[in-house]
Amino acid sequence: MISGVATKESSITTKVETNPSTHWQKEIDAYEEFTSTDWYYLNNDGSKVAGWKQIGVDWYYFSPKNMKMQKGWKYINGKWYYLNQINHGEGKMLTDCWIEYVTTHKGQKNTFKFYYLSSDGTMATNTTINGHYLDASGATTDKIDKLLVQNY
């Protein structure tokens, strides 16, 4: 692993760690108690990947603007995808699964919605999956068996 401090401006320190054998690069920005981590994937020539990239059996999406690995809901080429937001499998496109998405509203009850991600990773809409209707937004408010749901 190659590591080093890349910049230091206005009390913000950026540490860059690159693993040449796996092609992953991590940038950690630290400012007082705040830390953010951005991930990149490097081509063989050392340039950063932009767009979709299959790594092993998993697919990841890297922003064409800044080449950062994307997480969460992303609208790409007219379709919605969900890219894992948690540490285990972070950034990986989810497929063939139900997810429960919780929206928090200050001073109100949380909203729970269930979505289904198809085998190509796109959010299913206007269809029925295992007896549960998904509307045009892709959501169903039906109760889904918790054993089938991944929480994100």
Side-chain angles (χ1 to χ4, degrees):
M1 177 151 332
I2 299 169
S3 176
V5 175
T7 63
K8 184 173 183 171
E9 296 176 20
S10 306
S11 301
I12 298 175
T13 302
T14 301
K15 181 180 178 183
V16 178
E17 297 178 358
T18 304
N19 187 329
S21 65
T22 65
H23 295 267
W24 282 102
Q25 182 179 72
K26 175 170 64 170
E27 266 185 28
I28 304 166
D29 288 333
Y31 176 74
E32 296 175 7
E33 294 179 16
F34 172 77
T35 302
S36 75
T37 303
D38 294 314
W39 287 94
Y40 304 89
Y41 195 79
L42 305 179
N43 291 306
N44 289 334
D45 66 3
S47 63
K48 293 177 180 174
V49 168
W52 286 107
K53 174 74 175 172
Q54 185 174 13
I55 302 169
V57 297
D58 299 316
W59 283 92
Y60 296 82
Y61 187 75
F62 299 87
S63 169
K65 291 181 182 178
N66 61 21
M67 280 64 86
K68 292 179 185 177
M69 180 185 71
Q70 300 297 289
K71 298 177 275 188
W73 285 109
K74 296 296 170 194
Y75 191 69
I76 303 166
N77 297 327
K79 297 182 181 187
W80 283 102
Y81 297 85
Y82 190 80
L83 308 168
N84 200 350
Q85 295 189 120
I86 58 175
N87 291 336
H88 181 70
E90 186 177 35
K92 178 176 86 166
M93 180 182 70
L94 299 180
T95 61
D96 290 320
C97 66
W98 287 99
I99 63 167
E100 178 179 21
Y101 195 78
V102 181
T103 305
T104 305
H105 304 282
K106 188 174 183 175
Q108 299 178 13
K109 287 181 118 181
N110 292 343
T111 303
F112 297 86
K113 293 185 179 179
F114 299 89
Y115 299 87
Y116 189 80
L117 301 168
S118 302
S119 60
D120 65 356
T122 57
M123 179 185 68
T125 59
N126 296 316
T127 190
T128 301
I129 305 285
N130 299 330
H132 302 284
Y133 179 71
L134 299 160
D135 63 19
S137 76
T140 184
T141 54
D142 292 352
K143 293 294 181 194
I144 307 294
D145 183 345
K146 291 289 185 180
L147 296 175
L148 301 175
V149 176
Q150 298 182 37
N151 293 302
Y152 298 98

